[in-house]
Amino acid sequence: MGKVNLRGHIVGLVSLRALAIASAFGVMSGAVAQADLADQIAKADLGYGEYLAGECVTCHRKSGTGIPQINGIEAETFVTIMQAYRSKDLDNKVMQMMAGRLDDEQIISLAAYFSSLPE
Amino acid sequence: MTSISRRGFGGLFGASALGLAMPSLAFGAVPKVVVIGGGAGGATAARYIAKDSKGAIDVTLVEASKRYYTCFFSNLYLGGFRDYDSIGHGYDQLAANHRVNVVHEWASSVDNAGKMVKLASGGTLSYDKLVLSPGISLKYDSVPGYSPALQSRMPHAWTSGTQVQLLQNQVMNMRKGGVFVMVPPPNPYRCPPGPYERVSMIAHLLKQHNPTAKIIILDPKAKFSKQGLFMAGWEKHYSGMVEWIDPETHGGIKSINGDTMEFVTDLDTFKADAASVVPAQRAGSIAMAAGVTDGDWAPIIPATMASKADPNIYVLGDASVASSMPKSGFSANSQAKVAANAIRGELTGSRVYDPRFANTCWSLIATNDGVKVGANYKAGSEKIDVVDKFVSQGGESADLRKTTYEESVGWYNGITSDMFS
Ligand SMILES: Cc1cc2nc3c(=O)[nH]c(=O)nc-3n(C[C@H](O)[C@H](O)[C@H](O)COP(=O)(O)OP(=O)(O)OC[C@H]3O[C@@H](n4cnc5c(N)ncnc54)[C@H](O)[C@@H]3O)c2cc1C
């Protein structure tokens, strides 16, 4: 149930734009890229993800208003969203700045960590 | 006691001699961290060290108060957007969820060589690493005539606690058409936009209850944080109500009289019906007592937040010299995580990741009119340096300003659960 709600929320918020951005990036376009990403997520350093997440949980918490909760977001979607903030295709100054200095390895570690948490 | 025997062992068979990361682990003693100050920096540090070390480090938090009333959002309380209870937090969960030993006492001094904290009650606590996050103390006499005796007549409301309730009460009881005088502090001080958010929230109250009242700001600074945004907001929401007077124009406050509520400047003598005076600041007294300050604040090594004066002491938050990072709750929380990571690495050999810092300060100007300024930072060799920054723009849509305000509410819930849950 929670999952469906969360997906609904993400779709509501970033909707088709994020998907368009994703394909522009080539992240989730094509089976090869996707398999590659899945592989990197599987190999990611969860400890690093947890450390980096320290920066995020000042704002993102399990539930609440004003800032979406991000636990349990499916990892590839997470990567797509973060890359879209980084490229400023998604529009929030705080998130553009937070994502702006994350490299792909860091985003993948974060995605692996947050996707492993219960919603 | 444990730490004394540990030092004994360390001297005889140092870590390197044994080829072990940690002598304390080798001999079964659990290393001890004492954190002084259970605010934005200290509560976060205690929580992260305890949570992430999973029992491998014994964490004691020394905090004078049973409840921590956040200065952040105290302005929103003032403006009637929060009730007082909603900005108060207790320490029960730190103990229950992470086994932090919470001691509600005043720490009076530090024995650096003996690695021991002395409590006002006479007790002592030994440590392997000491974290200081005591916040600020006020230099009352920086404003001629201001003193602790005047803080009930002209509340500073700049430290956690009931001062802000007093201030709200005094604003509500101003005579019709009366004058409120705000005296902001000189740089550097806790929460750069805070005095101007306070003015906004007082204007919001007065607009509803006393619309012909005036607010005069006697600023010791020639410019201030988010100035353009605040001034435009005052003009928009509280036109004609707020007057900001820069030091060039008023020539400095020469004296304050608490009985007559008069502020004497070169320009004029201003008679207030209610006032808030926020004097200059320095690191909390325990940082002075521990000998880690140079002047008013404690210099740190950016990568770890360790004191430049004592490698076993870490200084967080307002008390530290964090160069371009403003003194804010967000900054203190961010610095705490860097220090926690470094301390765990030192004491248990856990992996130490790259230090990274961030800050965002939101301010509420009027109902649903929020603005923000933020940056992220990296540890340079001498200073904490800005990587990237942003600030709200003039002329943003009402929708964006509302979203910005809502974000601040999300952040408040986030940071307080990151400190206390
Ligand atoms: C009006 C106002 C608005 C603000 N708004 C914001 C905002 O919107 N966002 C933001 O990020 N920041 C804001 N701040 C700033 C923020 O409150 C501080 O920067 C932050 O609290 C600093 O954290 P700290 O850990 O250094 O000190 P504090 O949070 O002050 O914690 C220090 C603690 O140490 C305890 N203590 C001190 N000495 C001892 C001792 N010797 N023994 C035992 N206990 C001791 C004190 O009781 C206190 O609880 C605001 C501040 C003010 C005044």
Side-chain angles (χ1 to χ4, degrees), chain A residues 37-69:
Chain A
L37 179 59
D39 190 44
Q40 290 180 47
I41 290 166
K43 287 190 197 139
D45 177 351
L46 275 181
Y48 191 33
E50 182 176 10
Y51 170 71
L52 293 170
E55 278 204 322
C56 319
V57 297
T58 306
C59 290
H60 291 282
R61 74 192 286 253
K62 284 203 200 83
S63 62
T65 49
I67 295 181
Q69 81 95 13

Side-chain angles (χ1 to χ4, degrees), chain B residues 36-42 62-65 68 71-75 91 105-108 133-136 157-158 190-191 194 197-198 286 316-319 327-332 359-362 411:
Chain B
I36 300 178
V62 183
E63 164 57 52
S65 306
Y68 177 78
C71 286
F72 30 107
F73 273 30
S74 65
N75 284 328
Y91 296 88
E105 286 216 43
W106 182 256
S108 49
S133 194
I136 53 162
W158 219 249
R190 142 181 296 185
C191 195
E197 184 184 53
R198 173 170 293 175
I286 193 72
L316 309 177
D318 294 352
K327 299 186 186 300
S328 75
F330 199 125
S331 295
N359 176 59
T360 297
C361 288
W362 286 267
W411 163 78

Side-chain angles (χ1 to χ4, degrees), chain B residues 116-244:
Chain B
M116 193 94 82
V117 173
K118 296 205 175 92
L119 303 174
S121 65
T124 57
L125 293 165
S126 65
Y127 63 82
D128 296 292
K129 297 286 179 189
L130 175 64
V131 178
L132 301 179
S133 194
I136 53 162
S137 47
L138 298 169
K139 297 165 83 170
Y140 288 89
D141 60 5
S142 69
V143 184
Y146 195 58
S147 68
L150 271 192
Q151 66 183 8
S152 54
R153 291 277 284 157
M154 302 173 172
H156 54 78
W158 219 249
T159 53
S160 171
T162 54
Q163 278 260 301
V164 68
Q165 291 179 301
L166 200 61
L167 181 58
Q168 189 190 54
N169 188 281
Q170 292 170 0
V171 172
M172 293 303 281
N173 286 307
M174 276 167 63
R175 75 179 160 88
K176 294 296 159 218
V179 174
F180 183 90
V181 171
M182 175 80 212
V183 179
N187 290 321
Y189 63 98
R190 142 181 296 185
C191 195
Y196 312 97
E197 184 184 53
R198 173 170 293 175
V199 164
S200 308
M201 292 294 96
I202 290 172
H204 174 78
L205 269 191
L206 291 173
K207 189 177 170 181
Q208 300 163 63
H209 301 285
N210 189 352
T212 54
K214 295 264 177 298
I215 301 173
I216 290 170
I217 308 168
L218 296 175
D219 209 322
K221 302 181 297 299
K223 56 185 173 57
F224 61 88
S225 170
K226 293 187 264 195
Q227 183 165 356
L229 296 168
F230 278 113
M231 305 265 261
W234 295 337
E235 189 50 41
K236 176 173 177 194
H237 302 288
Y238 316 114
S239 183
M241 191 182 246
V242 182
E243 190 182 353
W244 177 71

Side-chain angles (χ1 to χ4, degrees), chain A residues 7 10-30 34 74 76-81 83-84 89-90:
Chain A
R7 288 242 173 80
I10 292 168
V11 169
L13 188 68
V14 302
S15 74
L16 299 169
R17 257 175 92 200
L19 295 178
I21 294 154
S23 49
F25 267 109
V27 178
M28 289 174 42
S29 67
Q34 203 163 357
E74 189 270 319
E76 285 161 46
T77 308
F78 195 102
V79 170
T80 307
I81 295 173
Q83 288 178 330
D89 288 304
L90 277 176

Side-chain angles (χ1 to χ4, degrees), chain B residues 52-385:
Chain B
D52 294 341
S53 67
K54 301 184 173 67
I57 298 176
D58 179 359
V59 181
T60 299
L61 175 63
V62 183
E63 164 57 52
S65 306
K66 290 248 159 71
R67 275 187 92 65
Y68 177 78
Y69 287 89
T70 57
C71 286
F72 30 107
F73 273 30
S74 65
N75 284 328
L76 273 64
Y77 158 76
L78 199 54
F81 292 90
R82 304 283 292 207
D83 59 41
Y84 192 63
D85 284 348
S86 79
I87 60 170
H89 306 269
Y91 296 88
D92 316 4
Q93 293 186 60
L94 288 182
N97 298 345
H98 310 292
R99 287 187 281 162
V100 173
N101 173 28
V102 183
V103 176
H104 289 298
E105 286 216 43
W106 182 256
S108 49
S109 65
V110 174
D111 169 2
N112 304 60
K115 295 209 263 181
M116 193 94 82
V117 173
K118 296 205 175 92
L119 303 174
S121 65
T124 57
L125 293 165
S126 65
Y127 63 82
D128 296 292
K129 297 286 179 189
L130 175 64
V131 178
L132 301 179
S133 194
I136 53 162
S137 47
L138 298 169
K139 297 165 83 170
Y140 288 89
D141 60 5
S142 69
V143 184
Y146 195 58
S147 68
L150 271 192
Q151 66 183 8
S152 54
R153 291 277 284 157
M154 302 173 172
H156 54 78
W158 219 249
T159 53
S160 171
T162 54
Q163 278 260 301
V164 68
Q165 291 179 301
L166 200 61
L167 181 58
Q168 189 190 54
N169 188 281
Q170 292 170 0
V171 172
M172 293 303 281
N173 286 307
M174 276 167 63
R175 75 179 160 88
K176 294 296 159 218
V179 174
F180 183 90
V181 171
M182 175 80 212
V183 179
N187 290 321
Y189 63 98
R190 142 181 296 185
C191 195
Y196 312 97
E197 184 184 53
R198 173 170 293 175
V199 164
S200 308
M201 292 294 96
I202 290 172
H204 174 78
L205 269 191
L206 291 173
K207 189 177 170 181
Q208 300 163 63
H209 301 285
N210 189 352
T212 54
K214 295 264 177 298
I215 301 173
I216 290 170
I217 308 168
L218 296 175
D219 209 322
K221 302 181 297 299
K223 56 185 173 57
F224 61 88
S225 170
K226 293 187 264 195
Q227 183 165 356
L229 296 168
F230 278 113
M231 305 265 261
W234 295 337
E235 189 50 41
K236 176 173 177 194
H237 302 288
Y238 316 114
S239 183
M241 191 182 246
V242 182
E243 190 182 353
W244 177 71
I245 308 181
D246 65 68
E248 184 89 8
T249 308
H250 64 66
I253 295 175
K254 300 297 180 277
S255 67
I256 295 183
N257 184 324
D259 297 324
T260 59
M261 295 289 284
E262 283 177 337
F263 293 76
V264 179
T265 72
D266 287 346
L267 178 69
D268 206 346
T269 294
F270 297 89
K271 190 166 166 45
D273 296 280
S276 175
V277 175
V278 186
Q281 296 155 30
R282 59 179 175 75
S285 56
I286 193 72
M288 310 280 166
V292 294
T293 50
D294 178 9
D296 287 337
W297 311 100
I300 47 86
I301 294 165
T304 59
M305 300 303 295
S307 158
K308 284 193 173 160
D310 183 336
N312 297 313
I313 299 183
Y314 295 72
V315 189
L316 309 177
D318 294 352
S320 69
V321 179
S323 15
S324 40
M325 275 187 105
K327 299 186 186 300
S328 75
F330 199 125
S331 295
N333 167 272
S334 171
Q335 293 157 7
K337 292 171 202 175
V338 168
N341 193 243
I343 290 170
R344 281 201 304 124
E346 287 247 337
L347 294 179
T348 68
S350 67
R351 187 165 157 198
V352 178
Y353 295 104
D354 54 324
R356 37 206 310 125
F357 304 93
N359 176 59
T360 297
C361 288
W362 286 267
S363 303
L364 186 61
I365 300 177
T367 308
N368 287 329
D369 191 355
V371 291
K372 60 183 170 182
V373 58
N376 53 22
Y377 307 84
K378 65 177 187 328
S381 55
E382 280 304 307
K383 296 196 285 69
I384 298 179
D385 296 319

